Amino acid sequence: MTINGTAQHWADILELRPEVRASDGSVGELQMSLHKAVYQTVDVPYRKVEYYGDITEPTPNLVGFFARVARRLGTTADAPALFHLDQGMGGGKSHALVGLHHMAASPEAFFATDLGQQVYADAARGTGEVDLTGAVTVTLTADYFSPGATNEVFGPATNLFERFIWALVGGDMDRYKRYVAAGANKGTLQQALTETGRPVLILLDELMDYVMALADAAHIATMPSEKAFLNALMDACDDVPRVAFVVVMIRSELDERGYSPAAVDFRDYVGARLVRNGQTVAVTEAQDFSAIIRRRLFELPDTELPLRDLTRRYTAAADDAWKNQVLDKLGANRSLPGFEERVTSSYPFHPELMRLVREEWSQVAGFQRVRSTVAIFARTTLHWVTEHKADRWAPPLIGVGDIPLTVALEQLLSSGLLLGNDRAIQGYRAVANTDITSTDGQSGRAVNVDEVLRRAGVTVGQPAPAVRMATALLCYSIVSRAQARRGATKAELMLAIFGPAGSQAPYPAAEEVFNKLTGDEGLGALETTTPTNAPARFHLSIKQTLRMYFTAAMAVVPAEARGELVWEQAQKLASKGVFDNLVPVDKPSGEEPLEKTFDAVDSNETRLVLLDPRRWTLLNGKDSASREDITALLGLGDKAMRVDNAASCVVACVNTQRRDVTFKRAAEVLAWREVIKQLTTDTEDELKDATAKHDEALKKLRRDIERAYQHYAYLVRAGELHVEYKRFDEDSRTSLNGGHVWTALVAAGRAIQPAGLGAEYLAALLDDFDRALTPREIVQAFYKNPAFPLLTSTDEIRRVLYALITGDWELVDADGNRLAVASPAQLSINSINQTLRRRQRDPAPPVPPPGGSDQPGGGDQPGGDGEQPQLPGGGGQQPGGDGPTPPSPPPAPGPAVYKRYQVQLTNKSITSGDAREQAWQLLQELRKVIDPATQADHQLLTLNLTLVTAEGQQGAIEAKAQALGAQVTVEDDDF
């Protein structure tokens, strides 16, 4: 049946039984009690024949067993009289005994049920009629009475023989006393059975419970007589027609309690006779599970199941990727061929889930088979029915990953798969809660993976695929599988989220779920093994493995510690290369001003400034604050700092997205360090592995940090002054490496390789100035002016200056005299009294007028020869003088215009070298201006000078000032 082209959902077809809904999926009493049904000490629903028939699936084994008992009781045909049920708990034994009781006590009602009709047809085959009218049922529920003690059900009886007689005679005291007096021998038992005159069904339930009590020291003396009675009863039943004896006696290896030696001996004694005289019966088989569970949980459907259409939709969903990578790798009878047939017997459960229960879980001795499976699946089906009714997603078939651990975990753990292993139960409970999902569904590593995938836009067409895949892994991991393997293959896990067209995950998305779940940030208890010539297997381990230590440690790594480690490693990895200095800048503590944060950055040297990634990052839309700080550091922007040498500063910064990767990697390193602390010397191998994993994680962290530092910034002058932001796109280069950065600056024309500065290039730069510069000013321009390139050494400047003055440039002193320099080493590049300028032509010598001098007195000067001697610098010599003649100031073309120049400098700190240099240049310029030799037209001087200095370091300031007529005041200062 389809609705709008989609197969009708199983929750719309199958109706949950009222007791499943009413008990919140607990299904009431899953373990039927023969005692409660017969003696009605508790009002259980299965005491009614109709209800029992309604919930009981007529499996072949059960029908055949009932038919043989019915044939023995209701016909004279040859049929076995003795039957032994020895399956473990949850195998359906009590369920079968209750049915036999109903068949003998209420044959008409029983044979009217679906089960009864099939039993009758089988029993009557070849005999024609089965008559159980008036049958007597002797019900001995051995787990409800004790050796040597009476109870209200069996009157005065205190042993098995007496209880049997009391039940057989229906409480007739006279007959009871007569048979008891005759003794527990075969003759007495035959007589008692024969005299009943009706079919007799003897049900002895939980015999070993009674035997365990019988083995106690207080009662062990009566054990031989109890053995003898059972031996005689089995023989008598075989000899008397229309008598059937059914004994429930679990094999010791299937009873989780185990047996004492005396009880084992008793069981062996009785068991040998049961084998010799009777039949051992299994009332359920593994292949019956699906049908039994469906009958137990759901009302019988009155419509056809949509099996063919569901198969068609599963087939349509299986594209080439799913076929090749998943379905074809599952093995025989697990892929698409035969899928419809398998679904027919498992619906609404996925065939893979039923296969796991039938072929793997049922092999575990403690697994309570039908009872355990019903308990798990009752919670599971109720959960998904509720989800479907609320218009939320529910699986088209309930698969291995669809057991909701939020409501069915305890049923899974208490199913007997981990029977007697409390440590394993606790371990898997913890793994389920931490690795998969908490009971409220809000936390768990698989829950987190689903959230990450959801944010990343990974669409899988169903909710919580990671939780469902992880749940499947838990189900595959709880017990050992074929050939002692553990866990599941990738194909089995991928199958957990494969579904019919319209609800399946596209293969690439499903594979991404798998990769996330099995990756470093996935399941913490995951272990992977790679068998030879076989696919890798994954399982959840409850052993405290290195991965579990690591997962626990990862959960407690402080967020701030990650950034600290990244910054620590970044500083270790950084190298200045050809820069003069490497300057790391820590993130500020609190809201301190930028001037304090960057107070060590400004200096007259080339420097690579390394910014702390905990504060500064670039790109990814989160870098406005970082760009504002970098711009301010370089002296620009609204919050520009007062810096002198911004042009020689290059800033290295981390990429935002890659920074986040390094923080995650740092967490791994810190987690492994914590694991190493926890390991002791007696776990040498694990310690060695943990150390190796730490070293590998640290290696990856260092690599990621280098890749994260992609960015660098520097000042450029292209028209207006601005900050240029650059990035390395190759992973082989990093801004942590000064050599890489310098090479990039050279390529951008912002720096010079060693010996790469040319004289013509420097000349062009100097020509842009409107005045000649001193050597010191030229040197400082390479650090202060972004129009000048960065240099690897001031020796470059010496070399190029020397090249200039040996060409078209000259170096002159303060008086304009040309200076002769023999080599670059003789250059005083820090001089402020020398000037570099374009070479000027020497002035021509004066030419005397023809015939003599125009001056009064005419002719040559005394002692002369008619020519003026030329001196260096082109100056003449006055007669009788011994020094150069100072040039006369040019005559003023008109009245002089005077201006008052006032310079106010208050409390300027001159503790730094640069500030003192600037103060010195100011005073030096004043010295030049008022030099008497200039004969400049200066009129007045007002000087207010305050110098706070250490006593004795004031020089001759006082004497010189007093000589000028100034008043000098000296006082103590508490500066």
Side-chain angles (χ1 to χ4, degrees):
M1 178 182 294
T2 61
I3 297 177
N4 298 328
T6 301
Q8 191 174 7
H9 197 274
W10 58 265
D12 294 323
I13 302 171
L14 300 176
E15 185 71 23
L16 282 173
R17 290 190 174 278
E19 62 269 26
V20 178
R21 296 194 302 269
S23 61
D24 195 24
S26 298
V27 203
E29 290 193 65
L30 285 172
Q31 180 181 1
M32 285 195 178
S33 167
L34 178 63
H35 188 86
K36 293 176 182 177
V38 173
Y39 299 109
Q40 298 189 12
T41 56
V42 177
D43 185 17
V44 291
Y46 51 83
R47 66 179 176 81
K48 298 180 179 179
V49 180
E50 295 78 9
Y51 177 82
Y52 178 88
D54 197 30
I55 67 170
T56 303
E57 177 70 16
T59 62
N61 273 18
L62 189 65
V63 170
F65 171 48
F66 279 21
R68 292 194 297 275
V69 174
R71 186 180 295 113
R72 173 69 181 181
L73 294 175
T75 73
T76 58
D78 185 26
L82 187 59
F83 302 91
H84 175 207
L85 304 183
D86 68 349
Q87 285 179 294
M89 292 186 300
K93 301 179 303 300
S94 295
H95 194 101
L97 293 184
V98 171
L100 290 175
H101 164 73
H102 285 315
M103 184 178 70
S106 306
E108 184 176 349
F110 178 81
F111 288 134
T113 66
D114 181 35
L115 171 65
Q117 291 175 15
Q118 296 187 45
V119 169
Y120 189 91
D122 193 354
R125 189 175 296 114
T127 63
E129 185 178 355
V130 177
D131 183 12
L132 300 183
T133 304
V136 176
T137 304
V138 177
T139 305
L140 302 176
T141 50
D143 51 341
Y144 277 90
F145 52 71
S146 303
T150 62
N151 64 21
E152 68 282 359
V153 175
F154 297 101
T158 59
N159 58 34
L160 286 178
F161 167 58
E162 294 172 356
R163 290 185 172 94
F164 167 76
I165 295 298
W166 182 266
L168 181 66
V169 302
D172 186 328
M173 184 63 74
D174 293 336
R175 292 179 63 197
Y176 169 76
K177 289 182 177 181
R178 176 162 56 88
Y179 292 136
V180 170
N185 53 69
K186 181 177 180 180
T188 302
L189 296 173
Q190 286 177 332
Q191 180 184 1
L193 291 170
T194 302
E195 290 178 352
T196 301
R198 292 179 291 170
V200 179
L201 173 63
I202 306 168
L203 303 177
L204 177 54
D205 191 18
E206 301 294 1
L207 173 60
M208 291 310 297
D209 282 21
Y210 182 78
V211 172
M212 287 291 288
L214 198 63
D216 185 80
H219 307 291
I220 197 167
T222 64
M223 185 175 284
S225 62
E226 301 281 30
K227 285 182 181 179
F229 159 70
L230 289 175
N231 184 50
L233 179 60
M234 287 185 282
D235 285 344
C237 291
D238 194 47
D239 293 339
V240 178
R242 303 187 71 175
V243 175
F245 184 15
V246 181
V247 180
V248 172
M249 186 172 66
I250 303 175
R251 298 198 306 271
S252 57
E253 67 272 18
L254 299 181
D255 193 329
E256 76 275 13
R257 294 164 298 181
Y259 299 147
S260 65
V264 171
D265 178 70
F266 190 104
R267 190 200 178 283
D268 292 343
Y269 174 84
V270 175
R273 283 148 183 79
L274 288 171
V275 171
R276 183 182 64 200
N277 299 326
Q279 291 184 350
T280 299
V281 177
V283 294
T284 60
E285 292 184 314
Q287 58 265 29
D288 300 330
F289 288 170
S290 300
I292 293 174
I293 292 168
R294 185 163 61 202
R295 185 69 169 258
R296 192 72 172 86
L297 299 179
F298 300 102
E299 302 279 5
L300 293 176
D302 54 7
T303 60
E304 181 183 356
L305 300 179
L307 303 176
R308 180 168 299 177
D309 192 61
L310 190 60
T311 301
R312 177 188 60 78
R313 294 177 59 234
Y314 267 92
T315 303
D319 56 22
D320 289 342
W322 279 107
K323 286 181 181 177
N324 298 333
Q325 302 300 324
V326 176
L327 298 172
D328 291 347
K329 293 185 177 183
L330 293 172
N333 299 318
R334 297 177 68 186
S335 58
L336 285 180
F339 182 76
E340 182 176 353
E341 180 182 351
R342 299 196 303 276
V343 171
T344 300
S345 62
S346 68
Y347 190 88
F349 305 104
H350 195 287
E352 176 63 13
L353 176 57
M354 287 295 98
R355 187 208 60 80
L356 178 65
V357 174
R358 181 179 64 250
E359 299 180 12
E360 300 185 32
W361 287 2
S362 66
Q363 304 305 313
V364 178
F367 185 59
Q368 298 174 24
R369 308 197 182 199
V370 174
R371 190 190 310 163
S372 298
T373 313
V374 171
I376 296 168
F377 290 179
R379 286 293 186 97
T380 298
T381 52
L382 178 61
H383 171 81
W384 290 121
V385 165
T386 303
E387 290 295 292
H388 180 73
K389 298 299 183 185
D391 290 329
R392 292 188 288 266
W393 184 90
L397 288 174
I398 300 173
V400 182
D402 297 321
I403 298 175
L405 300 183
T406 52
V407 297
L409 175 62
E410 293 308 316
Q411 283 70 25
L412 179 64
L413 296 178
S414 62
S415 64
L417 291 172
L418 303 170
L419 187 64
N421 192 343
D422 291 340
R423 180 179 179 184
I425 291 174
Q426 294 172 7
Y428 279 114
R429 181 182 291 115
V431 166
N433 287 328
T434 58
D435 259 25
I436 305 176
T437 177
S438 59
T439 54
D440 61 2
Q442 300 301 309
S443 63
R445 297 178 73 86
V447 173
N448 295 339
V449 169
D450 276 324
E451 178 60 28
V452 170
L453 292 171
R454 190 160 45 250
R455 290 199 303 266
V458 178
T459 303
V460 292
Q462 54 191 260
V467 168
R468 295 172 60 239
M469 189 179 288
T471 300
L473 181 57
L474 176 68
C475 293
Y476 284 120
S477 299
I478 286 181
V479 299
S480 294
R481 305 186 66 194
Q483 300 175 347
R485 292 174 176 167
R486 298 300 302 269
T489 63
K490 177 181 178 181
E492 289 173 324
L493 296 179
M494 295 282 284
L495 182 66
I497 60 174
F498 172 70
S503 65
Q504 89 285 2
Y507 183 82
E511 189 169 44
E512 188 163 355
V513 175
F514 171 83
N515 291 336
K516 282 283 187 182
L517 205 61
T518 58
D520 292 340
E521 298 180 15
L523 302 175
L526 180 72
E527 285 198 356
T528 306
T529 57
T530 307
T532 305
N533 300 322
R537 301 188 71 86
F538 306 86
H539 76 275
L540 294 175
S541 173
I542 57 173
K543 175 187 175 184
Q544 191 72 353
T545 61
L546 275 181
R547 185 181 178 90
M548 294 179 71
Y549 276 115
F550 172 75
T551 302
M554 277 285 286
V556 296
V557 171
E560 61 274 9
R562 307 177 187 192
E564 290 174 2
L565 180 59
V566 170
W567 179 226
E568 170 197 314
Q569 291 298 318
Q571 294 178 80
K572 291 181 178 179
L573 290 168
S575 61
K576 67 178 184 179
V578 295
F579 283 91
D580 293 329
N581 198 8
L582 176 70
V583 185
V585 179
D586 293 326
K587 73 167 186 176
S589 56
E591 298 297 326
E592 67 181 29
L594 286 180
E595 287 75 9
K596 182 177 180 181
T597 300
F598 294 126
D599 61 355
V601 173
D602 195 33
S603 63
N604 59 344
E605 57 185 356
T606 59
R607 55 224 181 274
L608 181 63
V609 177
L610 186 64
L611 296 184
D612 190 335
R614 296 172 294 177
R615 163 68 182 266
W616 295 283
T617 66
L618 289 176
L619 295 192
N620 207 31
K622 301 177 181 179
D623 63 354
S624 57
S626 296
R627 286 178 181 267
E628 186 177 84
D629 287 354
I630 292 172
T631 302
L633 170 62
L634 296 177
L636 299 179
D638 296 337
K639 299 179 180 180
M641 294 173 51
R642 295 185 61 184
V643 290
D644 295 322
N645 301 282
S648 53
C649 175
V650 180
V651 180
C653 192
V654 75
N655 176 273
T656 304
Q657 186 172 2
R658 294 193 173 191
R659 187 275 307 268
D660 295 341
V661 173
T662 66
F663 280 14
K664 293 179 181 178
R665 187 74 71 185
E668 296 177 14
V669 174
L670 294 168
W672 283 120
R673 290 180 180 178
E674 184 61 29
V675 170
I676 292 172
K677 291 179 184 177
Q678 296 178 29
L679 297 177
T680 57
T681 54
D682 59 351
T683 57
E684 183 176 349
D685 291 340
E686 289 184 336
L687 184 60
K688 182 178 179 181
D689 290 345
T691 302
K693 290 182 180 295
H694 165 269
D695 294 345
E696 178 65 19
L698 181 59
K699 180 180 178 181
K700 291 179 180 179
L701 170 63
R702 294 168 68 88
R703 178 202 63 195
D704 289 342
I705 291 175
E706 288 182 330
R707 292 177 177 177
Y709 272 90
Q710 290 183 287
H711 303 281
Y712 57 99
Y714 54 90
L715 276 181
V716 294
R717 185 183 294 281
E720 292 186 358
L721 195 62
H722 71 275
V723 178
E724 186 82 2
Y725 289 92
K726 293 288 188 177
R727 182 178 74 180
F728 289 126
D729 291 324
E730 308 93 338
D731 286 340
S732 59
R733 296 199 294 170
T734 174
S735 58
L736 289 176
N737 187 308
H740 294 169
V741 175
W742 194 275
T743 301
L745 293 173
V746 170
R750 189 62 184 80
I752 299 295
Q753 292 284 24
L757 183 62
E760 294 181 358
Y761 181 51
L762 179 58
L765 291 174
L766 296 178
D767 284 338
D768 287 340
F769 288 86
D770 57 3
R771 64 180 180 87
L773 302 181
T774 67
R776 182 176 181 84
E777 289 173 328
I778 295 172
V779 170
Q780 289 181 340
F782 282 95
Y783 298 95
K784 301 176 182 294
N785 190 338
F788 281 63
L790 299 179
L791 296 178
T792 57
S793 169
T794 54
D795 290 340
E796 287 283 295
I797 304 175
R798 290 180 182 275
R799 177 182 60 79
V800 176
L801 288 180
Y802 184 75
L804 288 176
I805 63 177
T806 55
D808 295 334
W809 293 70
E810 63 183 358
L811 192 65
V812 299
D813 62 13
D815 296 324
N817 298 317
R818 184 182 302 139
L819 300 175
V821 180
S823 68
Q826 292 185 0
L827 282 171
S828 178
I829 59 173
N830 287 319
S831 172
I832 61 174
N833 293 320
Q834 301 172 3
T835 305
L836 181 70
R837 68 186 184 187
R838 288 279 183 180
R839 186 177 298 278
Q840 298 181 2
R841 296 178 58 186
D842 294 337
V847 179
S853 172
D854 290 336
Q855 296 179 3
D860 294 337
Q861 295 292 322
D865 57 3
E867 292 185 2
Q868 292 282 355
Q870 297 300 312
L871 298 177
Q877 184 171 351
Q878 293 188 22
D882 56 1
T885 303
S888 300
V897 178
Y898 296 97
K899 293 182 180 295
R900 180 179 292 110
Y901 294 89
Q902 293 180 318
V903 178
Q904 184 173 2
L905 187 66
T906 305
N907 292 337
K908 169 68 176 178
S909 171
I910 56 173
T911 56
S912 70
D914 286 345
R916 193 174 302 178
E917 172 66 26
Q918 291 170 342
W920 166 249
Q921 289 188 19
L922 174 63
L923 297 176
Q924 182 70 3
E925 189 63 26
L926 179 62
R927 182 191 70 80
K928 291 181 182 178
V929 169
I930 64 175
D931 188 339
T934 64
Q935 299 184 11
D937 188 7
H938 301 312
Q939 300 297 318
L940 298 173
L941 174 65
T942 301
L943 183 63
N944 185 2
L945 174 65
T946 301
L947 176 65
V948 180
T949 185
E951 186 175 6
Q953 296 184 8
Q954 73 277 13
I957 287 180
E958 295 174 78
K960 299 288 186 182
Q962 291 171 352
L964 185 61
Q967 292 183 336
V968 179
T969 302
V970 180
E971 59 187 14
D972 293 335
D973 197 295
D974 59 355
F975 182 76

